Amino acid sequence: MIARAPSPGPRGLLRRLREVMADAGSVDERLAKVVRSIAANMVAEVCSVYLLRNDELELYATEGLNPEAVHKTRLKVGEGLVGDIAAHARPLALADAQNHPQFAYKPETGEEIYHSLLGVPLQRDARVIGVLVVQNKTRTQYSEEEVEVLETIAMVLAEMVASGQLLGADDVAAVARAPSLPFRADGRTLSEGLAIGQAVLHEPRIHIEKTIADDIPLEKSRLDAAVASMRDHVNQMLEAPDNDIVGESRDVLETYKMFAHDTGWLHKLHVAVESGLTAEAAVLRVQGDTRHRMQAITDPYLRERLADLDDLANRLLLHLSGKSGKSAAENLPDNAILFARAMGPAELLDYDRRRLQGLVLEEGSSVSHVAIVARALGIPVIGGIGGVIARVEPGDQVVVDGDHAQIFVRPGPDVVRAFEQSLSLRQARLAKYAAQRDEPPLTRDGKRVALLVNAGLLIDLAHLDETNADGIGLYRTELQFLVRPTMPKAEAQQQIYRRVMEHAGDRPVVFRTLDVGGDKVLPYLAKHPEENPAMGWRAIRISLDRPALLKVQLRALLQAAEDRVLHVMFPMIAEVDEFRRARKLLDREVARLKALKKPVAREIKVGTMLEVPSLAWQLPALLPLVDFVSVGSNDLMQFLFATDRGNPRMMDRYDPLSPSLLSFLRWVVQQCKSHDKPLTLCGEMGGRPLEAMALIGLGFDRLSMPANAIGPVKEMLRSLDVLSLAEFLEGLYYLPDHSLRGRLEEYARENGVIV
Ligand code: PEP
Ligand code: MG
């Protein structure tokens, strides 16, 4: 294999390309000159340009291959090495291309004598429009630097192609985009719901007019000015009074600020300008590198940081184009469906909630922070649709169908009509629930059931008032920790907890202490890879082994409560001893604050989650020590049935409405009643009407659920006669059935219970 001499870099070549553009001559002649110049500069025998036309990659120009093959050789996307580069939008450098399994021999080109191949995609707005290839006879190992040079050239070439400098008008139109046909794409539902609206791109496409610099010092100073103005802008946003989002958005902005001063990033931008690119093209080039790196990284935290950097590059482009501050959030249509590759929670909060109807992400998982925020806002989100942005034009009509994890872009009238119908049914239902907001949650036979909401972000607070819930039955404090790049300080925590309690007023808020570990990974805590993280070092186990974090949190809670009643609950308690140790930590913090004459809660109610089955068999020993218990049915299901709650294959295998879970819960209810201790259930099942019916029937009188479940559950219980249901259930607990769902549905039907 032959090592190559160091590459001369793109500067000379960019100058040469500029000269070619200034030459008279037809577009064909220009393109021929371009490939000749690239071949010479890259010390390659072959340089070819393939462009996507009618869904095929057509050879448009070549230096070195048989000229007869031009406009004849065509490859499908995915076919051969060139097709592979286009399909994956990534470079390929091969010393022995012909022995690569993807190699597709095209006899008309005469390429059999060339062994090595370096190809890069020609991309515009993330859309692949062609492929640029160089080839050598010898088995050559292309260097990283050569790949980068060819990528820079490809970027410049793509702009020239798209702007018509290298092609005739007809070809430009053909290459520019495939016909806008309707399409449907599957993803994952990250937040449920249904929306119809028009596409808005979160990152507005900025088309750069010029990629090669006329005057390098001028470009440098333009870049510097844009960086300075971007920094100012970020500072201004940081200083602006932060109305209702405190923590989350500040932290993202702080990250931007840090990157805006990152010398590595700024250095790369300068090197790119030095090589002969305009400031805009330099930003695009460095952004392209970031995106490549992002594709290879699986660590969610690093990916998120790279996404931040990518976002910052977009902001810099806006500053260069003089369009800074005008984000897609401005001039938002009334029915916007937002498309983004990835997105931070704070960015989502930039948009007017009343106009934003749906969100589509190329990446994203249901535990991603933006998904958590979107759920709190009630915006349907479909994630995991790779490459979708390139196929959507702003203004396209889009249907987001959270029920089936799919989207329709430019759908036909029949599809739209069908979805409009189910949308109006859904809206009518929501309006009905809103109208029933002030109806008391009383069953037909007069039993009062406390309906509480689950929360975890400040934006959830609005739901308390919207739903008229009795309080917050589960405040997942870890969400505040998860949406931040750094650990929130005691002060910041205190401020958040105080706001939550102030907002709730007389309504109780049950703060659950940090429940991290398992799938909830804090970016700033060292990771300990575990085979079974759900059953590993998580929640209270971490807190007891490394109490520093918990102490800070307890102190913040105690101080934030001042003269109020504070409800604290510990997660994942598996045995009474763990509760005692956690409680001791709390008592010590109380004593410490009192000794320091610091404010402390007027009264403290301490409880535990019941989500590990072992604890149920210690209830007689536990109950005298606690003020309340809350069943976490999500984890309880996974531990009772030994089924991973995050494994989609296990999702429907066992039913919460099984005789085993229901009789287990009945035992818990009986124990708590006999000790006169309040019992709540705060897992997802409490928010599903049929499940909630069964829970109330077996004796629960407090349920905490996602806010959007309050309406349907209240409607159910107002149509329910508890005594009759309790009697009905008596006969079912010991049945050998897999599930009691069918019987309960039948009961609801026959007794007019609205589920
Ligand atoms: C549960 O496990 O049911 C629960 C409410 O806690 P989380 O879903 O946060 O684990
Ligand atoms: Mg849990």
Side-chain angles (χ1 to χ4, degrees), residues 134-152:
V134 294
Q135 288 172 277
N136 283 78
K137 279 187 187 153
T138 49
R139 288 186 170 79
T140 296
Q141 193 71 57
Y142 297 101
S143 68
E144 281 273 311
E145 207 191 334
E146 283 174 307
V147 178
E148 281 185 17
V149 169
L150 201 64
E151 283 183 316
T152 301

Side-chain angles (χ1 to χ4, degrees), residues 570-584:
F570 299 112
M572 280 292 288
I573 297 282
E575 53 175 14
V576 176
D577 186 54
E578 284 175 341
F579 177 78
R580 286 196 354 218
R581 286 160 60 203
R583 164 118 223 190
K584 204 181 275 171

Side-chain angles (χ1 to χ4, degrees), residues 11-175:
R11 190 166 175 165
L13 183 52
L14 290 176
R15 202 177 318 120
R16 176 77 194 114
L17 291 184
R18 188 147 53 89
E19 285 162 13
V20 171
M21 288 308 129
D23 284 352
S26 71
V27 282
D28 284 347
E29 285 161 10
R30 281 191 193 172
L31 195 54
K33 278 187 198 163
V34 166
V35 288
R36 205 170 308 138
S37 306
I38 298 173
N41 187 270
M42 299 290 296
V43 199
E45 281 97 26
V46 174
C47 174
S48 315
V49 172
Y50 295 81
L51 294 175
L52 201 56
R53 196 191 159 116
N54 300 332
D55 290 338
E56 284 188 320
L57 290 154
E58 180 175 318
L59 180 64
Y60 258 70
T62 184
E63 166 72 12
L65 296 186
N66 184 359
E68 302 281 295
V70 170
H71 296 306
K72 289 210 182 69
T73 296
R74 290 196 182 90
L75 292 142
K76 299 241 178 291
V77 173
E79 180 190 359
L81 297 170
V82 169
D84 188 75
I85 293 164
H88 296 100
R90 53 145 165 71
L92 208 55
L94 299 169
D96 189 2
Q98 291 177 18
N99 284 323
H100 191 280
Q102 278 283 92
F103 182 76
Y105 179 49
K106 294 280 171 183
E108 72 276 11
T109 60
E111 65 179 331
E112 57 279 11
I113 52 172
Y114 302 106
H115 285 285
S116 46
L117 175 146
L118 168 60
V120 297
L122 291 169
Q123 265 173 289
R124 196 142 193 275
D125 305 332
R127 188 185 329 136
V128 174
I129 60 167
V131 175
L132 173 64
V133 178
V134 294
Q135 288 172 277
N136 283 78
K137 279 187 187 153
T138 49
R139 288 186 170 79
T140 296
Q141 193 71 57
Y142 297 101
S143 68
E144 281 273 311
E145 207 191 334
E146 283 174 307
V147 178
E148 281 185 17
V149 169
L150 201 64
E151 283 183 316
T152 301
I153 301 301
M155 185 186 80
V156 171
L157 206 56
E159 294 301 324
M160 288 175 168
V161 165
S163 65
Q165 290 170 276
L166 289 173
L167 294 181
D170 288 352
D171 282 340
V172 173
V175 168

